[in-house]
Amino acid sequence: MSAPENPRIIALFDVDGTLTIPRGEVTPEMMAFMKELSKKITVGIVGGSDLPKQEEQLGAGIAKVFPYNFSQNGLVAYKNGELLEIQTISKHLGEDNVKRISNWVLKYLADVDLPIKRGTFFEFRSGMFNISPIGRNCSREERNDYEKFDLANNIRKNMVEAMKKEFSDLNLTYSIGGQISFDCFPTGWDKTYCLKFLPEGDFDEIHFFGDKTFEGGNDFEIFTHERTVGHTVFSPDDTKEQCTKLFMK
């Protein structure tokens, strides 16, 4: 990777709703724009999903396209295509607590009444648990319908509150992101985790672009962090427009 014109300015980008539509694939036009942007400044990707899901959305080998790539909020970290670190939630919590959480979640979801349910309600990732009341196997239309139902009935919000009480001893953080699920992970393992790989002496500005920047959203912590300049975006086109004004001069 050749050095950009302004290597001491880095922009970090969320994936869903920022570079792609939720769970969609990046358009060729958007990827071309990001590659042009990387000639101007340092570019990094920071997503909550694991690397295989990130590759589904951004393309195979995405960890080697831009200087920094962080999947699972940075628990899997790459710099210039080289793996820096992998951290796991099972090591951190211990298998007994992993089992305790998974059993509780499945019992709770069995009693949640929704218009429809599909499959994959509890997904174990190396750095977090992803919990989806409708199930991640739903279609795009079902996903869109569920999001409206969830907003009207606080399904995810109420479940998060119940988990906070049940697992108050584990020091966990809950983050509602995307349309159908929320993440559960050790406190401090939100997207700010990736900042440990960006030494303060290496960058004059760290910009972050994301769509779930409200309190409780999975971009909130990094959006409000003292080291970052946060930008709320509403679509990939909005991301492109804001970056053009800021960096493509």
Side-chain angles (χ1 to χ4, degrees):
M1 300 174 195
S2 57
E5 291 177 18
N6 297 297
R8 294 184 62 83
I9 298 175
I10 184 170
L12 300 172
F13 295 87
D14 168 50
V15 180
D16 268 3
T18 302
L19 298 180
T20 75
I21 61 171
R23 290 304 303 145
E25 295 179 11
V26 69
T27 64
E29 293 78 14
M30 188 65 189
M31 183 55 74
F33 174 81
M34 293 298 294
K35 289 178 179 177
E36 284 301 308
L37 179 64
S38 69
K39 296 177 183 177
K40 298 285 187 179
I41 60 170
T42 304
V43 169
I45 309 296
V46 52
S49 295
D50 58 24
L51 187 55
K53 284 193 175 64
Q54 203 178 102
E55 288 189 319
E56 287 176 14
Q57 293 183 265
L58 300 179
I62 187 61
K64 297 182 179 181
V65 174
F66 301 111
Y68 289 92
N69 182 280
F70 305 110
S71 52
Q72 299 183 70
N73 292 344
L75 299 178
V76 179
Y78 283 82
K79 179 182 178 181
N80 295 326
E82 299 295 324
L83 181 64
L84 294 177
E85 179 181 294
I86 297 178
Q87 177 61 278
T88 68
I89 197 169
S90 54
K91 274 196 299 188
H92 182 81
L93 291 178
E95 293 297 348
D96 285 346
N97 281 321
V98 171
K99 188 164 59 176
R100 177 184 158 204
I101 293 168
S102 63
N103 288 344
W104 186 93
V105 165
L106 294 173
K107 287 177 183 175
Y108 182 97
L109 289 176
D111 293 327
V112 173
D113 187 29
L114 301 176
I116 63 168
K117 288 185 180 180
R118 291 301 179 247
T120 312
F121 303 99
F122 183 89
E123 188 170 83
F124 175 86
R125 300 175 181 173
S126 63
M128 68 181 71
F129 307 114
N130 179 265
I131 298 158
S132 175
I134 185 177
R136 297 191 64 87
N137 290 357
C138 59
S139 68
R140 180 167 297 283
E141 183 179 358
E142 291 164 348
R143 174 186 289 265
N144 293 339
D145 289 343
Y146 172 79
E147 182 180 29
K148 295 172 189 172
F149 184 86
D150 184 88
L151 289 171
N153 295 278
N154 293 319
I155 302 299
R156 289 181 291 177
K157 187 176 180 182
N158 291 342
M159 187 172 181
V160 163
E161 291 306 313
M163 289 188 72
K164 284 180 179 178
K165 292 177 184 175
E166 182 69 24
F167 302 109
S168 59
D169 58 313
L170 296 182
N171 195 25
L172 298 171
T173 292
Y174 304 86
S175 183
I176 297 173
Q179 296 176 288
I180 61 167
S181 65
F182 65 92
D183 297 327
C184 167
F185 47 85
T187 297
W189 286 22
D190 51 63
K191 286 180 179 172
T192 62
Y193 190 90
C194 76
L195 298 177
K196 66 182 277 189
F197 301 107
L198 306 176
E200 292 194 33
D202 288 1
F203 299 100
D204 297 324
E205 298 175 19
I206 300 176
H207 294 260
F208 172 77
F209 293 83
D211 66 321
K212 295 290 191 297
T213 56
F214 52 84
E215 189 165 5
N218 64 355
D219 297 326
F220 177 75
E221 291 84 5
I222 192 169
F223 175 77
T224 56
H225 195 274
E226 60 184 11
R227 290 189 62 199
T228 67
V229 179
H231 305 270
T232 302
V233 299
F234 301 98
S235 68
D237 285 342
D238 188 32
T239 301
K240 190 189 300 185
E241 185 176 337
Q242 289 194 40
C243 286
T244 298
K245 290 178 181 176
L246 284 167
F247 308 121
M248 305 292 277
K249 296 173 184 175

